């Protein structure tokens, strides 16, 4: 779309020196010297970014990459989008921090979030801004559900990722991440997610009758399931870190029915899948399902500024002043950016662009899967796409090694992609939504060539 063409560096991708170049090496060495061992991303890609525009990023040695990562869905509206940037800088000059005293940008963003909220939440919701990260929003959602129900137990799903603070980590499924800290406190149970490619019940959709959702009902209904009625069920409408797992619509629909039947608040975590990522403002809209509480973060800060919050049904507005507090309960600059980003998306019909480009990209990848010996499955909605890499399409044996090879080859050719999945074997595409068709095609070509090279090796 014309509105998005001028937002990127021209000439991407452009590799002028094999990464990491000399300047990058120097900075990577400094990072290793001064920062702690928990630093993660540069161990996978030796990447030192310097400047980013739209869906392109320049590194410190002058290489320009196409961005299929968006800082994990943080830069949906494009890096340094000039229209959003102008409003952001204007706000930065005026006022930056107000605790939760009202301000124009704060109320503008809250109003817009209520206006774009899914289904029955639209114009019928309240917003509480949280701290800067998504994990804070998850903590707030759980606190609110517990406060409302006076219950303690939470039901989450296998393959989930909800963050790194104590409760958010407890709700996340990755054993390696949790093991050093268990027990993490809250009583949390995990049910199977609708991961049809690797169905834990070894059934096939639709003949399975969405058995995984039925299993949740079984847990609630059976007096001897061992699980007392939960304060909430928390679910990602499309699992991000889990491997871009897109459940059939019935999965969310059934969860909604079950939670209504048993009087359990349904929390939908839209931190990765929301803010236009799937071609709708929120991914749960594809299944026509409305949560009681929804978490938002990542791109809600408009231009990569940290901001998170919850949007919930007015009927759950039972907290009293001070029930949920914090110094950084929403930064005014991030709020101005967030409101400007929503306006930008509406004015440019960004969601239509996402839907169209997403369909085209999925088709390209599904065709590629037919001719590839390593692509087990391609799945996605809008511009949230996963490609599951396996050693053998028959046995579906996952391959972390092949996935890492493909990722590194893409990087060397000028494309940033990331991994996800239960076995780190899913190549994940999350480009800024403003990516043009031309940049998408170039990125796909790089992915294809990288895959082919790995197949030859
Ligand atoms: N929930 C989901 C679905 C996420 O994808 C993430 C992060 O990737 C989080 C929560 C945690 O957000 P943050 O990393 O900002 O704390």
């Amino acid at each position: 779309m014309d509105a998005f063409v001028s937002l990127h560096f021209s000439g991407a991708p452009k590799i002028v020196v094999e990464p990491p170049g000399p300047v990058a090496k120097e900075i990577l060495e400094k990072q290793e010297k001064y920062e702690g061992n928990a630093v993660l991303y540069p161990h996978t890609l030796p990447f030192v970014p310097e400047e980013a525009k739209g869906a392109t990023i320049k590194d410190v040695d002058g290489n320009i990459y196409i961005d299929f990562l968006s800082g994990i869905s943080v830069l949906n509206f494009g890096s340094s989008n000039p229209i959003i940037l102008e409003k952001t800088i204007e706000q930065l000059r005026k006022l930056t921090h107000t605790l939760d005293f009202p301000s124009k940008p704060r109320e503008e963003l809250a109003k817009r979030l209520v206006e774009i909220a899914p289904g029955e939440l639209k114009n019928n919701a309240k917003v509480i801004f949280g701290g800067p990260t998504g994990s804070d929003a998850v903590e707030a959602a759980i606190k609110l559900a517990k406060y409302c129900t006076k219950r303690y137990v939470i039901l989450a799903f296998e393959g989930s990722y909800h963050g790194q603070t104590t409760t958010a980590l407890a709700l996340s499924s990755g054993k390696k991440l949790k093991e050093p800290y268990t027990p993490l406190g809250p009583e949390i149970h995990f049910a199977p997610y609708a991961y049809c490619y690797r169905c834990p019940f070894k059934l096939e959709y639709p003949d399975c009758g969405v058995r995984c959702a039925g299993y949740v009902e079984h847990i609630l209904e059976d007096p001897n399931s061992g699980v007392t009625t939960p304060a909430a069920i928390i679910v990602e409408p499309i699992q991000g870190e889990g491997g871009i797992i897109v459940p059939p619509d019935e999965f969310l629909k059934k969860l909604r029915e079950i939670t209504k039947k048993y009087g359990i608040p349904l929390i939908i975590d839209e931190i990765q899948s929301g803010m236009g990522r799937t071609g709708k403002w929120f991914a749960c809209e594809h299944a026509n399902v409305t949560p009681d509480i929804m978490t938002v973060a990542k791109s809600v800060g408009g231009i990569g500024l940290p901001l998170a919050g919850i949007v919930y049904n007015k009927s759950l507005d039972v907290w009293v002043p001070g029930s949920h507090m914090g110094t950084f309960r929403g930064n005014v600059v991030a709020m101005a950016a967030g409101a400007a980003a929503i306006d930008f998306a509406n004015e440019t019909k960004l969601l239509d662009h996402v839907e169209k480009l997403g369909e085209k990209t999925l088709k390209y990848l599904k065709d590629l899967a037919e001719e590839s010996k390593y692509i087990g499955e391609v799945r996605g909605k809008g511009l949230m796409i996963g490609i599951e890499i396996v050693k053998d399409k028959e046995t579906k044996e996952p391959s972390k090694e092949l996935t890492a090879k493909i990722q590194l080859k893409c990087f060397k050719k000028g494309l940033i992609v990331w991994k996800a999945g239960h076995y780190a074997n899913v190549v994940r595409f999350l480009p800024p939504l403003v990516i043009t068709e031309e940049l998408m095609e170039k990125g796909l070509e790089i992915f294809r060539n990288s895959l082919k090279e790995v197949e030859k090796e």
Side-chain angles (χ1 to χ4, degrees), residues 203-329:
L203 295 173
E204 273 198 27
Y205 178 79
D207 295 344
C208 64
V210 202
R211 172 83 161 270
C212 42
Y215 188 76
V216 172
E217 177 146 38
H218 153 76
I219 292 175
L220 302 176
E221 180 271 323
D222 185 333
N224 276 283
S225 71
V227 181
T228 56
T229 307
I233 293 185
I234 181 163
V235 65
E236 291 159 83
I238 294 176
Q239 284 189 334
E241 301 305 307
I244 314 292
I245 303 173
V246 185
D249 287 350
E250 286 102 308
F251 177 67
L252 277 190
K253 277 189 205 298
K254 284 202 169 189
L255 286 185
R256 182 65 284 187
E257 277 167 29
I258 298 164
T259 45
K260 278 206 170 135
K261 183 169 160 194
Y262 288 88
I264 300 165
L266 179 65
I267 302 173
I268 296 195
D269 183 345
E270 290 274 7
I271 287 170
Q272 191 164 144
S273 55
M275 298 309 290
R277 170 58 52 199
T278 66
K280 304 239 183 241
W281 275 116
F282 299 101
C284 60
E285 291 173 72
H286 292 283
N288 249 325
V289 164
T290 308
D292 298 297
I293 306 172
M294 177 174 81
T295 52
V296 291
K298 295 196 188 269
S299 278
V300 80
I303 200 157
L305 296 176
L307 181 63
I310 53 173
V311 181
Y312 55 94
N313 195 297
K314 263 186 182 168
S315 64
L316 300 184
D317 200 24
V318 293
W319 269 342
V320 295
S323 289
H324 185 64
M325 286 193 292
T327 307
F328 288 107
R329 284 263 308 278

Side-chain angles (χ1 to χ4, degrees), residues 41 71-74 132-138 160-165 168 172 234-242 269-273 295 297-298 307-308 384 428:
Y41 289 83
I72 317 244
S73 220
V74 168
T133 73
S135 307
D136 281 299
V138 170
S160 62
Y161 183 79
H162 297 291
Q164 289 289 303
T165 50
S172 302
I234 181 163
V235 65
E236 291 159 83
I238 294 176
Q239 284 189 334
E241 301 305 307
D269 183 345
E270 290 274 7
I271 287 170
Q272 191 164 144
S273 55
T295 52
K298 295 196 188 269
L307 181 63
M384 183 169 192
R428 176 165 42 161

